[in-house]
Amino acid sequence: MQAIVETLFDAVYLISVITIGVLMIRGSKGERQFRLFGWMAVVLGAGNSFHLIPRALALCTTGLENYTVPLGLGKWITSVTMTIFYVLLYYVWRQRYQIKGQSGLTAAMYGLAGIRIALCMMPQNQWLSTEAPLSWGIYRNLPFALLSLLVIVLFYRSAKERQDRAFRWMWLTIVLSFGFYIPVVLWADTIPMIGMLMIPKTCAYVWTVLIGYFAMKKECR
């Protein structure tokens, strides 16, 4: 039952976010913020597919224990693409609110993203092993948490100051996605049921994508 439900859920998720992303790229009508948002959605879906597709195959065939290498490689790729996702979201913020300058802020974003990706590349992560150390899961997620926090603050402040109703909950979607993700990083290996938090985390990302899509439909008539 888990295999069927989880596989269907992941398939709907991947098809939805990639399709919405393509629709936004094609329907942005020259609005750079929505074209960026579309690419962001495609990166989200394509990156997650490297982990979710092997997981679905494992659940529907011989089990997760026989797919250690594909699952580890998928998590590795997803870790990098999720970092790119937040950098693109930062540029959506800049485009939507017409932010000029602030090179220090941009440098901070690239610095945190660079540190995150560099940590993901370290062999100590043991991505392809069943004994991946928790400590390195924490190390690589510290700059990721700071990156997310920065984006949360930027969207919260700008949407409030500009009374931007379309994007007023963008900050909350990121809070929820990261809030559900942290317990998985810390305790999923010892308490497998905590892995179920990836479902509401995924729903939060779908909400993020839908915010951009509905804003585009309203503003690009």
Side-chain angles (χ1 to χ4, degrees):
M1 180 60 72
Q2 178 192 355
I4 296 171
V5 173
E6 189 172 328
T7 299
L8 286 174
F9 177 84
D10 291 341
V12 170
Y13 161 65
L14 293 176
I15 292 170
S16 297
V17 295
I18 292 173
T19 300
I20 292 171
V22 172
L23 289 173
M24 291 189 72
I25 293 168
R26 297 182 62 183
S28 58
K29 297 182 179 179
E31 284 285 343
R32 193 179 176 199
Q33 62 166 309
F34 295 122
R35 187 166 64 250
L36 275 172
F37 212 113
W39 282 112
M40 188 184 79
V42 170
V43 166
L44 174 67
N48 285 348
S49 69
F50 282 96
H51 174 63
L52 295 179
I53 291 175
R55 183 175 174 85
L57 289 172
L59 289 171
C60 294
T61 54
T62 56
L64 298 173
E65 64 278 3
N66 295 312
Y67 280 75
T68 301
V69 171
L71 286 170
L73 184 60
K75 287 173 68 176
W76 188 356
I77 294 170
T78 299
S79 296
V80 174
T81 56
M82 285 307 304
T83 310
I84 296 170
F85 170 88
Y86 277 101
V87 173
L88 290 174
L89 188 53
Y90 166 72
Y91 278 100
V92 168
W93 169 77
R94 290 186 65 94
Q95 286 294 316
R96 183 162 186 85
Y97 299 109
Q98 296 297 300
I99 306 299
K100 306 297 182 184
Q102 301 204 25
S103 56
L105 183 60
T106 302
M109 289 293 298
Y110 276 108
L112 289 169
I115 293 169
R116 155 78 169 179
I117 292 173
L119 288 171
C120 288
M121 296 299 172
M122 299 298 286
Q124 289 89 339
N125 288 286
Q126 298 183 42
W127 290 108
L128 308 183
S129 168
T130 55
E131 302 297 328
L134 173 61
S135 58
W136 275 85
I138 295 172
Y139 298 155
R140 67 176 178 264
N141 279 299
L142 284 174
F144 190 48
L146 293 173
L147 190 71
S148 304
L149 180 61
L150 193 54
V151 173
I152 288 166
V153 171
L154 293 174
F155 272 102
Y156 176 79
R157 291 176 59 183
S158 295
K160 188 174 182 180
E161 289 171 0
R162 311 288 180 88
Q163 297 185 338
D164 184 1
R165 291 187 58 80
F167 274 60
R168 68 188 183 281
W169 298 122
M170 180 63 73
W171 67 276
L172 181 59
T173 69
I174 305 166
V175 168
L176 290 173
S177 61
F178 211 83
F180 289 124
Y181 175 63
I182 291 172
V184 174
V185 172
L186 295 176
W187 300 301
D189 289 339
T190 54
I191 310 173
M193 280 300 293
I194 287 185
M196 293 295 289
L197 290 175
M198 293 300 282
I199 292 176
K201 168 188 172 289
T202 300
C203 292
Y205 278 123
V206 173
W207 188 11
T208 302
V209 172
L210 287 174
I211 285 174
Y213 178 72
F214 288 132
M216 183 195 76
K217 295 292 286 183
K218 184 177 180 180
E219 297 172 25
C220 294
R221 292 175 178 175

